Amino acid sequence: MFVCICVLCVCLTAVISRNQEGPGEMGKAVLIPKDDQEKMKELFKINQFNLMASDLIALNRSLPDVRLEGCKTKVYPDELPNTSVVIVFHNEAWSTLLRTVYSVINRSPHYLLSEVILVDDASERDFLKLTLENYVKNLEVPVKIIRMEERSGLIRARLRGAAASKGQVITFLDAHCECTLGWLEPLLARIKEDRKTVVCPIIDVISDDTFEYMAGSDMTYGGFNWKLNFRWYPVPQREMDRRKGDRTLPVRTPTMAGGLFSIDRNYFEEIGTYDAGMDIWGGENLEMSFRIWQCGGSLEIVTCSHVGHVFRKATPYTFPGGTGHVINKNNRRLAEVWMDEFKDFFYIISPGVVKVDYGDVSVRKTLRENLKCKPFSWYLENIYPDSQIPRRYYSLGEIRNVETNQCLDNMGRKENEKVGIFNCHGMGGNQVFSYTADKEIRTDDLCLDVSRLNGPVIMLKCHHMRGNQLWEYDAERLTLRHVNSNQCLDEPSEEDKMVPTMQDCSGTRSQQWLLRNMTLGA
Ligand code: LR7
Ligand code: MN
C-alpha cells in the first residue's frame, strides 16, 4: 500500500513537471532558435501569428491562474443553465483551433457543456475537412461541425451555429482562444441571475509572436471612437463607485469586443440575434452592444472569468468585396439603425463613407420599433457618459482661421503631442473637431489642452474636469479663449508655421475662428 502511493506520487510529479517544462506550458513564451527563424517568418504569414510556436505547444497546455484572489473562492449555484459553445472559423490553424476546443472541454464542467459547434466558413485547407471530422469524434464532449456552402463572414456563420445549437445559453468564442480554470461558471451564474444580461470574460492576451499568456486587466472596458472602431478605455470612477470598489463584481461595459460572450439563447432571439446583412467582419460587435443597451438589456464584463485570445496585427484572410467596403457597409448599417443624429460623427470624419451602399435596413428598423428601444442619446447619457461622442455639442467639423483660412489639424498625432494647423481640405479626417457643451475642443478621444502661458496647445485624453481643457467660444468676436490662462487661440508664429499659438486676447483677425455647424448663439 505504502509503496503504491509512493509510486503514484512519483508518477504524478513526473507528469506535472514534464508538463510544466514543455514549450509554452504555464502560458510561457515560446522562443524559436535562430536557425529556424527564416522558416518561422514564412509560416507567420499564413495566419498572421507565429504558427511555428503554436504548433510546438501542447493542445492542452497548462495556464497560470490569473484571477483576482477574491474570484478563486467564489461559490456558484449548482444549478446553472448549460451552454453550447459556438466557434466560427475561416482557414484557422489546426493547433489554435484545437487548443480552443481542448481548453473548453478540459476547463468546463461537462454537465454545463451541451456541445461544441464548429462552423467552418468555407475554409480552403484540407486538414479542416475530413481530418478534423475524424479527430473530433474521439473527444469527450459532442463536437458538431457545420459547413457554410460559401464564404459568409463571421456574422452569418455565427447565426448558423446559433440556430443549430441546443444549449440554454450560447457562448461564442473566436477560433484561437484558450479558456482558463473557472471561466464558465461565473458567466452562466450571471445569466441565471438576470437572463437579459449579456456577459463577456476578461480577454487575456496570447502573444501573436510567442504565444505567451498575459492576463488582461479588469480596469478596462469597451468603448468606440468616431470612426466606430472598438477601443478599450479605463473603467471610469463612476463604475468603480457603483461596485463599491469590489473588483470581482461585473463591470457594466458600453460595448463589447465581440468575439467572446455568453447570452441566454431565448434572449438572443428576442433581441434580434445579429444583423444578417452584415458581411465578413466588423460592426456586429457595436451593433449588438447598442441594441442590448438601447432595448432594455445589459452588457457586462464578468471579471472572474478569463479567456485568452490571440491578438493579431493584421488579418490573414481575404475580404470578398474589399476590406474598406465591407467594414464601411457594416458600420453604415449600424449607424443608420441605432445612432440617430449621432451618426454625423462617423459621416463627417469619413465623408467618403456616405457613398457606400449599405443595402436595406428596414427589417432592423422595424425590430428597433417593435422592441421599443431607447434613442442613442439615452445610451450616451446613461450608459456611456464618458463617450468620445459628446451627448451635447455646439459644433462639429473644421475649425477655420479667419485671417489665414487654415484649419486646425490633429495631423494624425497621438496623445501628448501638439495640435497642428494646415490648409483646409474639407475631407474630414484629421480636421474634424467638436466644440462640446462641456466647452472642450475635441478631436475624437483627444482634447485641446494648455498648461502654460503662451502654449503650446497639446492634445490630451479628455478628462471632463474642465481645468486646462476649458475653452470659451465667443460667437460674436469669434474668439476661442482658454479660460485658465485667459489667452486666445491664435495663428502660428514665424518660427513654426505648423502649430497654432496662444496669445493675449486682442481681437485681431488671426484670433478669429469659424466653427463648422455652429449652433451656439444661433
Ligand atoms: O469571414 C470570416 N469568417 C470567419 O469565420 C472572417 C472571420 N471568421 C472567423 C475567424 O476565423 C475568427 O474565429 O471569425 C472569428 C473572428 O475573426 P478574427 O479573429 O479575424 O477577428 P478579430 O479577433 O480581429 O475580431 C474581433 O472583432 C470582430 C469584429 O467583427 C469580431 O467581433 C471578433 O469576434 C472579435 N474578436 C474578439 O472580440 C477577440 C478580442 C479582440 C479584441 C479587441
Ligand atoms: Mn480573433
Side-chain angles (χ1 to χ4, degrees):
M1 193 62 194
F2 176 77
V3 175
C4 247
I5 292 171
C6 230
V7 169
L8 203 71
C9 280
V10 173
C11 286
L12 223 60
T13 30
V15 169
I16 290 170
S17 58
R18 192 192 55 221
N19 240 347
Q20 302 206 337
E21 278 162 18
E25 291 298 333
M26 289 310 284
K28 288 210 190 71
V30 174
L31 300 174
I32 304 295
K34 267 243 148 50
D35 286 351
D36 295 331
Q37 288 194 357
E38 278 310 307
K39 186 96 210 304
M40 175 191 83
K41 283 181 192 148
E42 269 312 300
L43 291 170
F44 193 100
K45 294 177 194 154
I46 303 176
N47 300 92
Q48 291 298 335
F49 54 62
N50 191 338
L51 181 60
M52 186 180 262
S54 178
D55 286 350
L56 286 169
I57 301 171
L59 296 179
N60 62 350
R61 76 154 155 180
S62 54
L63 293 175
D65 187 349
V66 296
R67 293 173 296 176
L68 293 166
E69 279 310 315
C71 291
K72 296 181 185 170
T73 50
K74 280 206 180 183
V75 183
Y76 300 98
D78 289 333
E79 292 263 312
L80 289 173
N82 68 5
T83 187
S84 298
V85 174
V86 174
I87 299 166
V88 303
F89 64 94
H90 175 72
N91 285 343
E92 187 63 50
W94 178 267
S95 51
T96 44
L97 177 63
L98 268 298
R99 203 174 295 114
T100 309
V101 174
Y102 271 108
S103 75
V104 168
I105 295 179
N106 293 344
R107 299 208 179 89
S108 315
H110 287 188
Y111 74 98
L112 294 179
L113 257 192
S114 167
E115 65 202 335
V116 175
I117 297 182
L118 303 180
V119 187
D120 171 12
D121 187 13
S123 299
E124 292 126 352
R125 297 186 185 152
D126 263 349
F127 60 81
L128 294 171
K129 307 282 185 238
L130 223 59
T131 316
L132 180 65
E133 263 161 51
N134 289 328
Y135 191 91
V136 301
K137 280 182 193 146
N138 300 320
L139 298 175
E140 295 161 56
V141 166
V143 179
K144 194 185 286 174
I145 300 179
I146 296 173
R147 312 270 183 195
M148 304 301 283
E149 305 75 49
E150 53 173 9
R151 178 80 182 280
S152 310
L154 72 95
I155 296 116
R156 289 193 287 276
R158 278 190 198 151
L159 280 170
R160 185 73 71 82
S165 71
K166 297 198 185 71
Q168 293 159 276
V169 167
I170 307 173
T171 298
F172 293 98
L173 295 178
D174 273 9
H176 31 258
C177 288
E178 289 177 65
C179 303
T180 66
L181 182 70
W183 74 288
L184 186 60
E185 295 89 332
L187 298 175
L188 299 178
R190 188 70 189 112
I191 292 175
K192 182 191 164 97
E193 275 173 13
D194 177 359
R195 59 182 288 277
K196 293 189 174 181
T197 301
V198 178
V199 287
C200 312
I202 288 184
I203 306 178
D204 297 330
V205 176
I206 303 171
S207 160
D208 55 343
D209 279 323
T210 65
F211 277 72
E212 182 181 4
Y213 196 97
M214 293 170 281
S217 167
D218 63 286
M219 304 295 264
T220 55
Y221 76 173
F224 59 93
N225 63 16
W226 292 359
K227 295 193 174 117
L228 302 185
N229 302 122
F230 170 86
R231 285 280 178 273
W232 300 106
Y233 292 106
V235 174
Q237 194 56 43
R238 66 179 156 78
E239 184 57 13
M240 298 305 283
D241 294 346
R242 189 189 64 82
R243 293 146 73 222
K244 304 201 171 58
D246 184 349
R247 289 164 56 186
T248 69
L249 293 179
V251 176
R252 289 159 65 96
T253 180
T255 70
M256 65 164 146
L260 294 63
F261 66 97
S262 299
I263 185 168
D264 178 275
R265 73 155 322 101
N266 293 329
Y267 184 60
F268 181 63
E269 277 157 29
E270 270 166 53
I271 194 119
T273 63
Y274 270 125
D275 177 356
M278 289 187 172
D279 302 328
I280 307 296
W281 183 101
E284 96 296 342
N285 48 347
L286 297 191
E287 193 271 343
M288 184 174 256
S289 306
F290 297 164
R291 179 156 45 89
I292 289 165
W293 282 119
Q294 287 174 240
C295 310
S298 48
L299 181 60
E300 296 182 348
I301 296 170
V302 172
T303 54
C304 285
S305 171
H306 279 260
V307 178
H309 169 264
V310 183
F311 285 79
R312 333 181 237 217
K313 296 171 195 83
T315 22
Y317 43 77
T318 57
F319 274 64
T323 316
H325 178 85
V326 168
I327 298 174
N328 286 334
K329 174 187 167 186
N330 292 354
N331 282 340
R332 281 208 72 183
R333 295 183 69 86
L334 140 82
E336 289 294 328
V337 177
W338 297 104
M339 294 180 71
D340 306 328
E341 67 273 24
F342 294 92
K343 67 185 176 194
D344 287 353
F345 280 84
F346 175 50
Y347 289 157
I348 288 177
I349 201 164
S350 350
V353 163
V354 293
K355 295 192 204 94
V356 174
D357 178 12
Y358 61 92
D360 181 3
V361 292
S362 56
V363 175
R364 300 305 282 178
K365 285 194 162 163
T366 308
L367 172 80
R368 181 174 165 171
E369 273 167 35
N370 291 345
L371 292 172
K372 302 197 169 46
C373 307
K374 299 189 182 82
F376 199 70
S377 60
W378 175 89
Y379 167 82
L380 290 180
E381 193 158 323
N382 295 280
I383 305 305
Y384 200 9
D386 48 320
S387 164
Q388 320 319 321
I389 292 186
R391 159 81 180 78
R392 293 189 305 121
Y393 58 96
Y394 296 120
S395 78
L396 177 61
E398 63 182 32
I399 296 185
R400 184 187 285 256
N401 187 281
V402 171
E403 166 95 358
T404 66
N405 240 329
Q406 288 194 311
C407 281
L408 285 188
D409 193 314
N410 69 36
M411 304 287 197
R413 290 182 190 133
K414 306 215 166 54
E415 191 174 0
N416 244 321
E417 298 182 328
K418 290 179 193 169
V419 72
I421 199 156
F422 204 73
N423 294 339
C424 304
H425 53 51
M427 307 274 282
N430 295 345
Q431 294 188 351
V432 183
F433 291 79
S434 180
Y435 182 53
T436 71
D438 294 335
K439 302 192 171 177
E440 46 191 16
I441 305 172
R442 274 182 170 262
T443 167
D444 210 337
D445 55 0
L446 298 177
C447 274
L448 298 197
D449 190 300
V450 180
S451 57
R452 280 189 280 135
L453 211 57
N454 299 316
V457 188
I458 58 166
M459 301 184 289
L460 283 185
K461 279 265 149 62
C462 304
H463 54 46
H464 315 285
M465 313 260 275
R466 300 164 151 264
N468 290 338
Q469 298 184 354
L470 183 66
W471 298 82
E472 198 70 60
Y473 185 63
D474 186 323
E476 267 161 37
R477 292 198 185 86
L478 306 182
T479 50
L480 277 167
R481 186 174 61 90
H482 182 255
V483 175
N484 260 3
S485 64
N486 199 26
Q487 288 190 312
C488 282
L489 188 69
D490 207 323
E491 66 178 357
S493 66
E494 283 302 316
E495 290 94 74
D496 189 347
K497 295 234 168 265
M498 302 294 278
V499 297
T501 57
M502 294 301 296
Q503 309 286 344
D504 291 336
C505 300
S506 60
T508 56
R509 276 166 64 86
S510 65
Q511 291 186 358
Q512 294 182 343
W513 302 87
L514 295 172
L515 277 55
R516 186 55 73 90
N517 300 316
M518 190 66 195
T519 56
L520 191 71

